[in-house]
């Protein structure tokens, strides 16, 4: 089988992660990277491929089998996705959950017209978590689905603590509540409030002369961000911050708790999927690369239009043949 020719559009955390993930894929070759910034200003983690200006992307139409969009969900993808879906098979990680139906429609039209596949909202949530919610619901129709996030670095909450007067540096982690998870795993199907599901932890370096009690109080009472949660605030020094809080860990749990059987003899059935990620963007990029392979194969088989992870047969994600997979995994 020929090597799949892949390109990356946008070179931030996901762009770097995608380049690394393609290197681990024997059936793929990175052709180039596109950026809206001056190509000469971009330093790739591996400099063996060229960087081109995003404005020139159309001229590479026939050199690329699938394009991985690594832009942000807020303003990059809503603009870039519909424009590029008419030129390439694309894959992206659009994660504004409420706007996915609208974004799906905006990709579907140009992708169908161009006979290309546009695979949206790939990653872990939305993405692998969505697939596991589907398995849970389909297999255990009588039950409840729970999602817990963490331990994870939250960018938005970290920005919020850094804006507090007296904070020099800071990060915020979201943690799932162990007691709530224990109840769910036990088959209780509890109704859980926001405060019961997750807790928040902040690691703060104080500015010179700042008052720790005042900073703690401002953080834990902050409306929308912290007031509805139990929040712990830890004060640390700058070297500890530099040493221990520079990574972007994340993860979480999807748990379906259901019952099977007739009314007179029911059994609790609990299905659980979990992720513990050392780097959120690196993992998300690895998911994008596996689905880039699937998008390419689906297009080869004659499919076109917008697709999500719910539309992809699992074997398409693998570089191995279906026969080899049946032998090794069943
Ligand atoms: P970044 O902010 O690192 O990168 C986004 C874009 O910003 C890049 O494509 C790049 O475009 C531009 N950029 C990057 N660095 C710089 C810089 N130094 N100066 C100016 N511009 C820069 O975002 P991430 O890669 O971390 O995340 C992208 C999206 O992934 C997020 O918005 C999130 O929605 C999504 N995501 C989805 C997940 C899921 O599970 N579905 C999980 C995690 C993230 P260009 O090169 O063109 O300038």
């Amino acid at each position: 089988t020929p090597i799949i020719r892949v390109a990356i559009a946008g070179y931030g955390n996901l762009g770097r992660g995608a380049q690394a993930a393609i290197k681990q894929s024997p059936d793929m070759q990175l052709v180039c990277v596109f950026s809206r910034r001056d190509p000469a200003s971009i330093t790739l983690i591996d400099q063996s491929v060229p960087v081109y200006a995003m404005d020139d992307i159309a001229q590479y139409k026939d050199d690329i089998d699938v394009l991985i969009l690594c832009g942000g969900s807020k303003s990059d993808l809503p603009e870039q996705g519909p424009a590029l879906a008419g030129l390439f098979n694309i894959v992206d990680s659009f994660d504004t959950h409420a706007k996915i139906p609208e974004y799906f429609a905006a990709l579907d039209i140009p992708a169908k017209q161009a006979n290309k596949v546009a695979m949206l909202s790939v990653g872990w949530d939305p993405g692998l978590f969505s697939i596991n919610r589907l398995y849970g619901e389909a297999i255990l129709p009588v039950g409840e689905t729970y999602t817990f996030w963490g331990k994870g670095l939250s960018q938005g909450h970290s920005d919020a603590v850094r804006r507090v007067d007296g904070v020099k540096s800071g990060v915020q982690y979201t943690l799932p509540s162990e007691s709530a998870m224990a109840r769910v795993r036990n088959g209780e199907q509890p109704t859980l409030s926001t405060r019961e599901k997750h807790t928040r932890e902040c690691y703060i370096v104080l500015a010179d002369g700042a008052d720790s009690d005042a900073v703690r109080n401002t953080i834990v009472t902050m409306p929308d961000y912290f007031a509805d949660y139990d929040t712990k605030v830890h004060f640390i020094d700058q070297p500890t911050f530099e040493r221990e809080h520079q990574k972007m860990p994340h993860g979480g749990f999807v748990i379906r708790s259901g019952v099977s059987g007739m009314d007179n003899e029911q059994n609790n059935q609990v299905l659980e999927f979990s992720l513990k990620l050392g780097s959120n963007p690196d993992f998300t990029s690895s998911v994008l690369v596996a689905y880039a392979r699937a998008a390419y194969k689906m297009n080869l088989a004659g499919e076109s239009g917008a697709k999500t992870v719910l539309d992809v047969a699992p074997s398409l994600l693998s570089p191995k043949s279906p026969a080899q997979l049946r032998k090794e995994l069943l």
Side-chain angles (χ1 to χ4, degrees), residues 101-117:
E102 189 185 315
Y103 184 61
F104 182 100
L107 295 184
D108 195 43
I109 296 164
K112 277 197 177 129
Q113 271 169 1
N115 276 317
K116 300 285 183 189
V117 166

PDB file of all heavy atoms in Angstrom, residues 101-117:
ATOM      1  N   PRO A 101     -23.155  20.631  15.798  1.00  0.00           N
ATOM      2  CA  PRO A 101     -24.101  20.419  14.694  1.00  0.00           C
ATOM      3  C   PRO A 101     -23.992  21.478  13.590  1.00  0.00           C
ATOM      4  O   PRO A 101     -24.016  21.156  12.390  1.00  0.00           O
ATOM      5  CB  PRO A 101     -25.469  20.486  15.386  1.00  0.00           C
ATOM      6  CG  PRO A 101     -25.187  20.072  16.802  1.00  0.00           C
ATOM      7  CD  PRO A 101     -23.826  20.650  17.113  1.00  0.00           C
ATOM      8  N   GLU A 102     -23.825  22.717  14.004  1.00  0.00           N
ATOM      9  CA  GLU A 102     -23.696  23.839  13.069  1.00  0.00           C
ATOM     10  C   GLU A 102     -22.394  23.721  12.246  1.00  0.00           C
ATOM     11  O   GLU A 102     -22.385  23.916  11.025  1.00  0.00           O
ATOM     12  CB  GLU A 102     -23.644  25.097  13.950  1.00  0.00           C
ATOM     13  CG  GLU A 102     -23.724  26.432  13.328  1.00  0.00           C
ATOM     14  CD  GLU A 102     -23.515  27.487  14.439  1.00  0.00           C
ATOM     15  OE1 GLU A 102     -24.121  27.353  15.541  1.00  0.00           O
ATOM     16  OE2 GLU A 102     -22.736  28.398  14.211  1.00  0.00           O
ATOM     17  N   TYR A 103     -21.318  23.366  12.938  1.00  0.00           N
ATOM     18  CA  TYR A 103     -20.013  23.240  12.277  1.00  0.00           C
ATOM     19  C   TYR A 103     -20.022  22.033  11.319  1.00  0.00           C
ATOM     20  O   TYR A 103     -19.473  22.109  10.213  1.00  0.00           O
ATOM     21  CB  TYR A 103     -18.921  23.099  13.349  1.00  0.00           C
ATOM     22  CG  TYR A 103     -17.516  23.048  12.816  1.00  0.00           C
ATOM     23  CD1 TYR A 103     -16.981  24.112  12.094  1.00  0.00           C
ATOM     24  CD2 TYR A 103     -16.706  21.943  13.048  1.00  0.00           C
ATOM     25  CE1 TYR A 103     -15.676  24.067  11.601  1.00  0.00           C
ATOM     26  CE2 TYR A 103     -15.403  21.889  12.572  1.00  0.00           C
ATOM     27  CZ  TYR A 103     -14.897  22.953  11.853  1.00  0.00           C
ATOM     28  OH  TYR A 103     -13.612  22.905  11.377  1.00  0.00           O
ATOM     29  N   PHE A 104     -20.672  20.952  11.717  1.00  0.00           N
ATOM     30  CA  PHE A 104     -20.820  19.766  10.856  1.00  0.00           C
ATOM     31  C   PHE A 104     -21.455  20.183   9.525  1.00  0.00           C
ATOM     32  O   PHE A 104     -20.955  19.843   8.446  1.00  0.00           O
ATOM     33  CB  PHE A 104     -21.704  18.730  11.565  1.00  0.00           C
ATOM     34  CG  PHE A 104     -21.908  17.440  10.812  1.00  0.00           C
ATOM     35  CD1 PHE A 104     -21.163  16.304  11.135  1.00  0.00           C
ATOM     36  CD2 PHE A 104     -22.840  17.350   9.786  1.00  0.00           C
ATOM     37  CE1 PHE A 104     -21.342  15.114  10.445  1.00  0.00           C
ATOM     38  CE2 PHE A 104     -23.027  16.163   9.086  1.00  0.00           C
ATOM     39  CZ  PHE A 104     -22.279  15.042   9.428  1.00  0.00           C
ATOM     40  N   ALA A 105     -22.542  20.966   9.606  1.00  0.00           N
ATOM     41  CA  ALA A 105     -23.251  21.386   8.391  1.00  0.00           C
ATOM     42  C   ALA A 105     -22.364  22.279   7.524  1.00  0.00           C
ATOM     43  O   ALA A 105     -22.377  22.179   6.292  1.00  0.00           O
ATOM     44  CB  ALA A 105     -24.537  22.124   8.773  1.00  0.00           C
ATOM     45  N   ALA A 106     -21.554  23.131   8.167  1.00  0.00           N
ATOM     46  CA  ALA A 106     -20.693  24.045   7.405  1.00  0.00           C
ATOM     47  C   ALA A 106     -19.572  23.297   6.670  1.00  0.00           C
ATOM     48  O   ALA A 106     -19.075  23.783   5.653  1.00  0.00           O
ATOM     49  CB  ALA A 106     -20.081  25.090   8.338  1.00  0.00           C
ATOM     50  N   LEU A 107     -19.178  22.124   7.156  1.00  0.00           N
ATOM     51  CA  LEU A 107     -18.154  21.324   6.480  1.00  0.00           C
ATOM     52  C   LEU A 107     -18.763  20.380   5.449  1.00  0.00           C
ATOM     53  O   LEU A 107     -18.137  20.050   4.441  1.00  0.00           O
ATOM     54  CB  LEU A 107     -17.371  20.475   7.493  1.00  0.00           C
ATOM     55  CG  LEU A 107     -16.524  21.185   8.541  1.00  0.00           C
ATOM     56  CD1 LEU A 107     -15.758  20.155   9.369  1.00  0.00           C
ATOM     57  CD2 LEU A 107     -15.546  22.156   7.903  1.00  0.00           C
ATOM     58  N   ASP A 108     -19.977  19.937   5.716  1.00  0.00           N
ATOM     59  CA  ASP A 108     -20.591  18.881   4.903  1.00  0.00           C
ATOM     60  C   ASP A 108     -20.789  19.315   3.445  1.00  0.00           C
ATOM     61  O   ASP A 108     -20.504  18.540   2.522  1.00  0.00           O
ATOM     62  CB  ASP A 108     -21.935  18.483   5.534  1.00  0.00           C
ATOM     63  CG  ASP A 108     -22.449  17.164   4.989  1.00  0.00           C
ATOM     64  OD1 ASP A 108     -21.634  16.232   4.853  1.00  0.00           O
ATOM     65  OD2 ASP A 108     -23.656  17.084   4.691  1.00  0.00           O
ATOM     66  N   ILE A 109     -21.220  20.555   3.270  1.00  0.00           N
ATOM     67  CA  ILE A 109     -21.542  21.029   1.911  1.00  0.00           C
ATOM     68  C   ILE A 109     -20.286  21.101   1.021  1.00  0.00           C
ATOM     69  O   ILE A 109     -20.235  20.436  -0.017  1.00  0.00           O
ATOM     70  CB  ILE A 109     -22.309  22.374   1.968  1.00  0.00           C
ATOM     71  CG1 ILE A 109     -23.661  22.147   2.658  1.00  0.00           C
ATOM     72  CG2 ILE A 109     -22.508  22.958   0.564  1.00  0.00           C
ATOM     73  CD1 ILE A 109     -24.338  23.421   3.131  1.00  0.00           C
ATOM     74  N   PRO A 110     -19.235  21.860   1.444  1.00  0.00           N
ATOM     75  CA  PRO A 110     -18.044  21.908   0.575  1.00  0.00           C
ATOM     76  C   PRO A 110     -17.375  20.546   0.414  1.00  0.00           C
ATOM     77  O   PRO A 110     -16.860  20.232  -0.672  1.00  0.00           O
ATOM     78  CB  PRO A 110     -17.107  22.901   1.277  1.00  0.00           C
ATOM     79  CG  PRO A 110     -17.622  23.048   2.668  1.00  0.00           C
ATOM     80  CD  PRO A 110     -19.080  22.745   2.618  1.00  0.00           C
ATOM     81  N   ALA A 111     -17.371  19.711   1.469  1.00  0.00           N
ATOM     82  CA  ALA A 111     -16.710  18.402   1.366  1.00  0.00           C
ATOM     83  C   ALA A 111     -17.435  17.513   0.359  1.00  0.00           C
ATOM     84  O   ALA A 111     -16.808  16.829  -0.453  1.00  0.00           O
ATOM     85  CB  ALA A 111     -16.644  17.738   2.739  1.00  0.00           C
ATOM     86  N   LYS A 112     -18.769  17.520   0.384  1.00  0.00           N
ATOM     87  CA  LYS A 112     -19.532  16.703  -0.577  1.00  0.00           C
ATOM     88  C   LYS A 112     -19.299  17.191  -2.000  1.00  0.00           C
ATOM     89  O   LYS A 112     -19.110  16.396  -2.917  1.00  0.00           O
ATOM     90  CB  LYS A 112     -21.015  16.736  -0.228  1.00  0.00           C
ATOM     91  CG  LYS A 112     -21.365  15.721   0.849  1.00  0.00           C
ATOM     92  CD  LYS A 112     -22.852  15.441   0.929  1.00  0.00           C
ATOM     93  CE  LYS A 112     -23.112  14.356   1.970  1.00  0.00           C
ATOM     94  NZ  LYS A 112     -24.148  14.773   2.934  1.00  0.00           N
ATOM     95  N   GLN A 113     -19.304  18.534  -2.173  1.00  0.00           N
ATOM     96  CA  GLN A 113     -19.097  19.087  -3.519  1.00  0.00           C
ATOM     97  C   GLN A 113     -17.743  18.679  -4.077  1.00  0.00           C
ATOM     98  O   GLN A 113     -17.606  18.427  -5.269  1.00  0.00           O
ATOM     99  CB  GLN A 113     -19.190  20.610  -3.476  1.00  0.00           C
ATOM    100  CG  GLN A 113     -20.616  21.096  -3.683  1.00  0.00           C
ATOM    101  CD  GLN A 113     -20.784  22.578  -3.388  1.00  0.00           C
ATOM    102  OE1 GLN A 113     -19.828  23.271  -3.040  1.00  0.00           O
ATOM    103  NE2 GLN A 113     -22.002  23.058  -3.525  1.00  0.00           N
ATOM    104  N   ALA A 114     -16.725  18.628  -3.209  1.00  0.00           N
ATOM    105  CA  ALA A 114     -15.365  18.321  -3.667  1.00  0.00           C
ATOM    106  C   ALA A 114     -15.049  16.827  -3.598  1.00  0.00           C
ATOM    107  O   ALA A 114     -13.940  16.413  -3.935  1.00  0.00           O
ATOM    108  CB  ALA A 114     -14.364  19.097  -2.823  1.00  0.00           C
ATOM    109  N   ASN A 115     -16.047  16.006  -3.183  1.00  0.00           N
ATOM    110  CA  ASN A 115     -15.813  14.565  -3.005  1.00  0.00           C
ATOM    111  C   ASN A 115     -14.678  14.265  -2.019  1.00  0.00           C
ATOM    112  O   ASN A 115     -13.836  13.408  -2.273  1.00  0.00           O
ATOM    113  CB  ASN A 115     -15.504  13.887  -4.346  1.00  0.00           C
ATOM    114  CG  ASN A 115     -16.784  13.536  -5.059  1.00  0.00           C
ATOM    115  OD1 ASN A 115     -17.724  13.038  -4.433  1.00  0.00           O
ATOM    116  ND2 ASN A 115     -16.831  13.838  -6.340  1.00  0.00           N
ATOM    117  N   LYS A 116     -14.665  15.010  -0.899  1.00  0.00           N
ATOM    118  CA  LYS A 116     -13.648  14.815   0.130  1.00  0.00           C
ATOM    119  C   LYS A 116     -14.331  14.459   1.454  1.00  0.00           C
ATOM    120  O   LYS A 116     -15.520  14.740   1.651  1.00  0.00           O
ATOM    121  CB  LYS A 116     -12.839  16.098   0.338  1.00  0.00           C
ATOM    122  CG  LYS A 116     -12.111  16.588  -0.905  1.00  0.00           C
ATOM    123  CD  LYS A 116     -10.894  15.732  -1.192  1.00  0.00           C
ATOM    124  CE  LYS A 116     -10.124  16.272  -2.394  1.00  0.00           C
ATOM    125  NZ  LYS A 116      -9.074  15.382  -2.840  1.00  0.00           N
ATOM    126  N   VAL A 117     -13.553  13.880   2.363  1.00  0.00           N
ATOM    127  CA  VAL A 117     -14.054  13.598   3.716  1.00  0.00           C
ATOM    128  C   VAL A 117     -13.576  14.703   4.659  1.00  0.00           C
ATOM    129  O   VAL A 117     -12.405  15.077   4.635  1.00  0.00           O
ATOM    130  CB  VAL A 117     -13.554  12.221   4.215  1.00  0.00           C
ATOM    131  CG1 VAL A 117     -13.777  12.056   5.717  1.00  0.00           C
ATOM    132  CG2 VAL A 117     -14.255  11.101   3.453  1.00  0.00           C
TER     133      VAL A 117
END
